[in-house]
Amino acid sequence: MKKIMQKILTAAFISAIALLWGCGPSKPVLNVYMWSDYIDPELVKDFERENGCKVIIDIFDSNEFMYSKLKAGGTGYDVILPTTYMAKVMFEQNMIEKLDLSKIPNSKYISKDYLKDLAVDKEMKYSIPYMLGYTCIAYNKEKLGEIPASWAVFGDEKYKGRMTMLNDMRETIGAALFFNGFKMNSTDDKELSKAKETLLEWKKNLAKFDNEVYKVGIQSGEFVIVQGYSGDLFQVLDETPSLSFMCPKEGLSISCDDWVIPAGAPNRELAYKFIDYVTNPKNAAKNMEFTCYSAPIPEAKKYISEENQNHPGMIMPVELYKKGEIIEDLGDDNSKYIKIWDEIKGN
């Protein structure tokens, strides 16, 4: 009996060891928190292969949602991709780390002109620029013909129920500020009140405020006019000849999303490798062609396919710098926008 039990135990022990050997050491995991459809999946796979790791991507649809989640205790992320103004807020509140640029050698390729003229974090102390884009309007030219290059289209009742605006308080209130001849970072109470009145009128004509479905909706014909991010819209426009886009004459926002490392990141060294990897000009070019956004990396242009050398999403038209404004953090005055947005959404 003892011999039988000994054999059973020995067999069980060998099976357990074999099982452990079969599993091998677990791969390190990089947790990334970012916008949807914003990185070439093949590049992610290549990074995983090169570094023997697993990349898990979690998605947010607004800077405010992401910020609130982290403030409420959301942890475990190694890399986050907020818009520039939110990266500044997070740094000032010690939510993200100061970067060691020696671990991101490809940061040398970031445009010096972008850093000088548009960037908030000009020395890349806490953020590395990823993609530059602008907010514009896409429309169904097959159904509507040419439409005026103005935010006024959202006030046109004949498109009622067939239009969307972004579910983003700074972008959407900013559009109403532009329409009324004001700056999109205004903190003037009278100007903000006027923008609120305008948005409440526009809201009557909207199907919804939305950050995701508008891309599918404009392509399917459910919507005929949408406000959206340039890269998102060009992904759809490039596939759909019936659609076109316009940049409102009153002005538009230009924004950049930046890679940051959250305080207490579990896998900081892998985070540095990832940021450096996507900042490589060849990889930046691949992401530009996948997202239809423009990387502020001049060297990347030489790796873009010939057909996309003048693409208005990947190669931003110079004149947009004159029309555009960068969204800024407004400090305590952010509460004015939150109050107005809550009133607009709740009305």
Side-chain angles (χ1 to χ4, degrees):
M1 187 69 177
K2 286 183 179 179
K3 288 183 178 180
I4 294 174
M5 285 300 298
Q6 190 175 15
K7 287 180 179 179
I8 292 172
L9 290 172
T10 300
F13 177 75
I14 291 171
S15 296
I17 293 297
L19 184 62
L20 287 172
W21 283 348
C23 290
S26 59
K27 291 182 177 180
V29 175
L30 183 78
N31 287 287
V32 181
Y33 198 22
M34 64 184 297
W35 306 89
S36 66
D37 302 321
Y38 209 20
I39 190 168
D40 187 336
E42 290 303 314
L43 273 182
V44 175
K45 291 179 183 177
D46 290 344
F47 179 80
E48 289 177 326
R49 282 191 291 268
E50 287 184 20
N51 292 275
C53 68
K54 176 67 177 174
V55 176
I56 296 176
I57 295 177
D58 198 4
I59 299 300
F60 59 81
D61 67 358
S62 76
N63 285 288
E64 286 67 33
F65 177 85
M66 174 272 297
Y67 172 82
S68 297
K69 180 178 178 178
L70 297 178
K71 272 295 188 181
T75 58
Y77 296 114
D78 302 295
V79 182
I80 305 177
L81 190 61
T83 304
T84 292
Y85 76 92
M86 186 57 75
K88 179 174 182 286
V89 172
M90 294 168 73
F91 181 67
E92 290 173 345
Q93 296 183 12
N94 300 314
M95 295 172 68
I96 58 178
E97 298 189 356
K98 190 172 182 179
L99 296 177
D100 180 353
L101 292 183
S102 70
K103 296 181 179 180
I104 313 174
N106 284 320
S107 61
K108 67 184 179 184
Y109 292 111
I110 299 296
S111 166
K112 302 300 184 292
D113 288 336
Y114 169 76
L115 292 172
K116 177 170 62 74
D117 296 335
L118 288 174
V120 173
D121 181 16
K122 297 183 182 301
E123 297 176 9
M124 297 186 285
K125 289 181 179 179
Y126 56 84
S127 61
I128 299 294
Y130 176 53
M131 289 290 165
L132 193 64
Y134 51 97
T135 303
C136 56
I137 293 174
Y139 64 96
N140 192 314
K141 64 181 179 184
E142 195 172 83
K143 294 181 179 180
L144 308 183
E146 294 296 323
I147 64 174
S150 171
W151 292 110
V153 294
F154 292 109
D156 197 326
E157 291 185 359
K158 67 175 175 282
Y159 306 130
K160 189 171 184 177
R162 307 289 302 281
M163 301 187 289
T164 69
M165 294 190 76
L166 289 169
N167 186 22
D168 183 309
M169 69 176 186
R170 295 300 305 276
E171 292 284 6
T172 303
I173 295 173
L177 285 166
F178 276 132
F179 173 72
N180 285 289
F182 308 133
K183 297 291 186 181
M184 78 172 300
N185 292 299
S186 174
T187 58
D188 182 274
D189 291 332
K190 290 183 179 179
E191 293 179 358
L192 288 169
S193 178
K194 182 66 176 174
K196 174 187 167 183
E197 291 175 16
T198 298
L199 273 177
L200 286 173
E201 286 301 311
W202 288 354
K203 184 182 176 184
K204 297 174 185 177
N205 298 326
L206 301 180
K208 63 173 78 175
F209 293 108
D210 171 69
N211 282 358
E212 291 297 328
V213 182
Y214 73 86
K215 294 178 285 187
V216 177
I218 190 70
Q219 190 169 32
S220 69
E222 178 185 359
F223 309 133
V224 293
I225 298 175
V226 296
Q227 175 195 20
Y229 304 113
S230 57
D232 287 350
L233 294 179
F234 283 116
Q235 290 173 35
V236 174
L237 264 64
D238 288 349
E239 299 173 357
T240 317
S242 62
L243 303 180
S244 187
F245 82 104
M246 60 90 163
C247 296
K249 62 186 178 183
E250 299 93 352
L252 44 72
S253 73
I254 296 177
S255 62
C256 191
D257 296 308
D258 302 335
W259 298 111
V260 302
I261 297 177
N267 211 332
R268 187 181 292 103
E269 294 308 309
L270 194 56
Y272 273 112
K273 288 182 180 180
F274 180 80
I275 294 172
D276 190 57
Y277 187 79
V278 295
T279 308
N280 177 290
K282 288 184 179 180
N283 294 334
K286 290 178 182 177
N287 277 328
M288 287 168 70
E289 299 214 73
F290 179 80
T291 65
C292 293
Y293 282 101
S294 175
I297 300 176
E299 189 79 4
K301 186 178 179 181
K302 69 171 66 172
Y303 300 107
I304 294 176
S305 60
E306 187 175 344
E307 64 183 296
N308 287 321
Q309 284 294 318
N310 295 306
H311 190 286
M314 300 176 212
I315 312 298
M316 274 182 56
V318 176
E319 60 267 23
L320 290 188
Y321 284 89
K322 298 177 182 178
K323 282 187 178 182
E325 290 184 38
I326 291 280
I327 295 176
E328 300 171 1
D329 170 48
L330 302 175
D332 291 340
D333 285 324
N334 283 319
S335 61
K336 295 181 179 182
Y337 281 76
I338 294 170
K339 181 175 183 294
I340 289 173
W341 190 237
D342 287 344
E343 290 169 352
I344 291 167
K345 295 288 290 291
N347 188 279

